[in-house]
Amino acid sequence: MFSTVDKYFKNQQEETKKTSDQSCISKILSIARKYWFLIGFAFSICMGYIFPNLGKTGGYIRSEWTVKYGCVILICFLSGLSLRTKQLAKEIPHIRLHILIQIYSLIVIPFLVYYLTLCLSNTSMNKTLLFGMIIMASTSTPISSNVIMTKNALGNEYSALLNAILGNILGIFLSPAMILFLMKNSMFDYLSNTNNEKQKLDYGHVIKNLILAVLLPLFIGQIIHLLWKKK
């Protein structure tokens, strides 16, 4: 009798343990599914730190081609395949939204970061790093990450895509002007003194890359989407 009771309790304990293990695994999997992008992002940063030669320019995977062009082209092409053309066209008339986003992205953010760097300039932080923060804030946001993050946040990816493209086009002209304007501070005089060569921005090259890497794959994806839909 006692042996039967012992077996019963052992079986109950084993079942409880299995159930708890399964619940833990299911929780971990649900968290991984929900935050896969952030987990992958953190993993990529760690891998970049451990293997810096892998993703650097001229590295093993030739990121200047595979990432800069290959990944961006693939993301824009897939966006063109998945986005509905009518819904994309409906976002165009939302002029106030587009103006608000561009002002916030290309004007408000650069000035906020600029004043933040002025506060940090009184500390021992490297001035070149502060200047890099200003450049980062003054440039337009990447199209691929814009679309992916907005989609993961269940936002309006149609508007995100349009504004990302618009921001990159405007950024070709506004970003250099904003950087030059913010560089007038005497804090950055030493940077201009150390840079003896004057570098000019090749607008034609930038626009060509934008068309080939973003607009053309998006356009091709939309055409395939429309043709597939008709079938």
Side-chain angles (χ1 to χ4, degrees), residues 54-75 205 208-209 212-213:
L54 186 64
K56 73 175 186 179
T57 302
Y60 300 130
I61 64 171
R62 296 289 177 180
S63 60
E64 66 271 19
W65 297 104
T66 56
V67 177
K68 186 178 179 181
Y69 293 102
C71 291
V72 174
I73 288 172
L74 179 62
I75 290 170
H205 180 70
K208 184 184 75 173
N209 286 340
L212 292 176

Side-chain angles (χ1 to χ4, degrees), residues 118-153:
L118 290 182
C119 296
L120 294 174
S121 64
N122 297 322
T123 64
S124 59
M125 187 173 285
N126 189 296
K127 299 297 186 294
T128 307
L129 177 61
L130 296 178
F131 181 63
M133 290 171 61
I134 294 175
I135 293 177
M136 180 190 68
S138 301
T139 53
S140 52
T141 55
I143 295 174
S144 53
S145 60
N146 251 342
V147 175
I148 292 172
M149 290 182 180
T150 304
K151 190 173 183 178
N152 288 333

